[in-house]
Amino acid sequence: MEKLFSIMNKSMRVLTHIIVWIALLLLFMFMGSNGKIVQKTVVVFVYFGLINITIFYINYLFILPTFLNRKKYLWCAIVILFLLLIASFVKCGLAYYYYDIIIKRDSGKHIMAFWDYFMSAVFVSCLFIFLSAVLKFVTDWFSNEKIKSNLENEKLISELAFLKSQINPHFLFNSLNNIYSLAYQKSEKTPEAILKLSEIMRYMLYESNEDKVALADEIRYLENYIELQKLRFKDNSYIKFEISGEVETQKITPLVLISFVENAFKHGVATDKDVPISILLNIEPGKIFFRTINKKSNQNKDETGGIGLQNVRRRLDLLYKDNYELHIQDKNDIYNCELYLNL
């Protein structure tokens, strides 16, 4: 199918060139003859037009791709000069063959000298070589821009896939540590934690593969994660998760908000009644405000460098560009993340 589309595109380009040249020749014939097709009109605008079109495509299709693209500038200039001389001599030969039509002017009152006609033929040939060079540079520029755009898109897709793939092992590593802690304590909540983790992983593996997911699904994913974290602390956890606004009609890039919540639990204190982990999601049409506030823990340092927030910041740059603002306040005892996101 791709090969068929390529053939169709080439055929359309060829057809477009043919139509443009025919239209130009007919236009000049009509203008030069005041609407009357006579022998002089045919000779000047068809025979000489075909020579100029031939010059155009010899330069466009053969000379420039063969020499200029390979940076053989001297050879390119030599071959173009040779083409100019050959074409101009052919035009002169054709002009003297139609001596009475081309060389004689004003009913024989004015006869062009050979070199005058030769230089005018060189000038016109140069014009068509220039036009073919302009077309070549313009088409090459658009082609290069398209290739560049495709490469950038492929790079973007690859980078996003890599960043997303980092989320799973990073999240899994932290969650398994939590479940290990429950199992080590022989907690009765260990099976429940494993079930929550299973639901979370199912969402990450199967439901978050789209570019955008329902915000309601993302919120359920966050709620499951928070419930999983609460199991670590039994009844001693203090977490506030507040949601306001219309949820059902909004969509969001999956797995963007989780890093902020995960960071709050990993580096925060969830057992302080006076300073609970606070998670706020305010939803408005086409935009959200998301905030996490946590008291900083002195015992839980990220020795691996904290790839979570670096990851999400890079994903926001790639996916939302200028449509988000991320503010992080790292105070002595409090860590505050605020995300303004245009959906």
Side-chain angles (χ1 to χ4, degrees), residues 13-27:
R13 286 198 295 268
V14 171
L15 183 60
T16 301
H17 279 244
I18 292 172
I19 292 173
V20 168
W21 285 119
I22 291 175
L24 288 175
L25 287 174
L26 291 175
L27 176 63

Side-chain angles (χ1 to χ4, degrees), residues 61-303:
L61 296 175
F62 299 104
I63 297 177
L64 294 179
T66 301
F67 298 102
L68 195 61
N69 288 359
R70 298 176 184 178
K71 297 183 179 181
K72 296 181 178 180
Y73 304 120
L74 179 59
W75 277 106
C76 184
I78 291 172
V79 175
I80 288 176
L81 180 59
F82 183 74
L83 175 63
L84 280 173
L85 293 175
I86 293 297
S88 298
F89 278 115
V90 170
K91 287 181 180 180
C92 287
L94 191 60
Y96 275 86
Y97 182 80
Y98 292 102
Y99 186 86
D100 294 334
I101 298 176
I102 306 299
I103 301 300
K104 288 184 178 182
R105 296 189 177 183
D106 300 327
S107 302
K109 295 179 181 179
H110 177 70
I111 298 176
M112 289 188 69
F114 174 82
W115 287 109
D116 290 339
Y117 189 83
F118 180 81
M119 292 308 298
S120 68
V122 169
F123 175 78
V124 174
S125 299
C126 285
L127 176 62
F128 278 83
I129 285 178
F130 172 76
L131 292 175
S132 65
V134 170
L135 180 62
K136 175 66 174 173
F137 292 143
V138 169
T139 53
D140 283 355
W141 185 83
F142 278 107
S143 178
N144 290 334
E145 285 298 307
K146 184 177 180 179
I147 292 171
K148 182 180 177 182
S149 177
N150 289 338
L151 289 175
E152 288 177 351
N153 288 336
E154 290 176 5
K155 181 182 177 182
L156 174 63
I157 292 171
S158 299
E159 186 171 356
L160 285 172
F162 172 73
L163 290 172
K164 189 175 178 181
S165 70
Q166 278 189 315
I167 294 174
N168 292 354
H170 187 231
F171 167 80
L172 185 60
F173 175 78
N174 293 330
S175 297
L176 287 176
N177 274 344
N178 298 338
I179 294 175
Y180 171 79
S181 177
L182 291 174
Y184 184 79
Q185 299 169 13
K186 297 182 180 179
S187 171
E188 295 179 355
K189 295 184 178 180
T190 302
E192 183 182 353
I194 294 173
L195 181 61
K196 287 289 183 185
L197 178 60
S198 174
E199 293 175 355
I200 289 171
M201 293 304 296
R202 182 170 59 251
Y203 174 80
M204 295 174 72
L205 292 173
Y206 301 112
E207 298 179 30
S208 65
N209 291 323
E210 301 294 328
D211 293 335
K212 294 287 184 72
V213 297
L215 182 58
D217 293 339
E218 191 76 1
I219 290 173
R220 280 193 291 272
Y221 166 62
L222 295 179
E223 289 172 338
N224 282 335
Y225 177 84
I226 292 170
E227 291 301 317
L228 180 62
Q229 294 297 322
K230 285 182 178 180
L231 293 176
R232 295 169 51 199
F233 305 103
K234 299 180 180 179
D235 297 325
N236 297 321
S237 61
Y238 299 95
I239 298 102
K240 291 171 57 181
F241 186 18
E242 301 175 278
I243 303 172
S244 62
E246 180 61 39
V247 175
E248 296 301 327
T249 60
Q250 307 292 334
K251 286 185 175 291
I252 190 173
T253 297
L255 309 179
V256 167
L257 304 179
I258 183 60
S259 293
F260 301 104
V261 178
E262 186 180 16
N263 188 73
F265 279 100
K266 188 175 182 183
H267 301 284
V269 177
T271 56
D272 191 328
K273 182 178 181 180
D274 296 327
V275 188
I277 292 177
S278 175
I279 303 169
L280 171 67
L281 177 61
N282 182 32
I283 307 161
E284 296 181 15
K287 60 183 178 180
I288 64 169
F289 169 68
F290 186 72
R291 182 183 67 198
T292 61
I293 302 176
N294 62 274
K295 181 179 179 181
K296 292 168 65 175
S297 172
N298 294 323
Q299 299 179 348
N300 193 10
K301 299 294 183 181
D302 188 358
E303 297 178 357

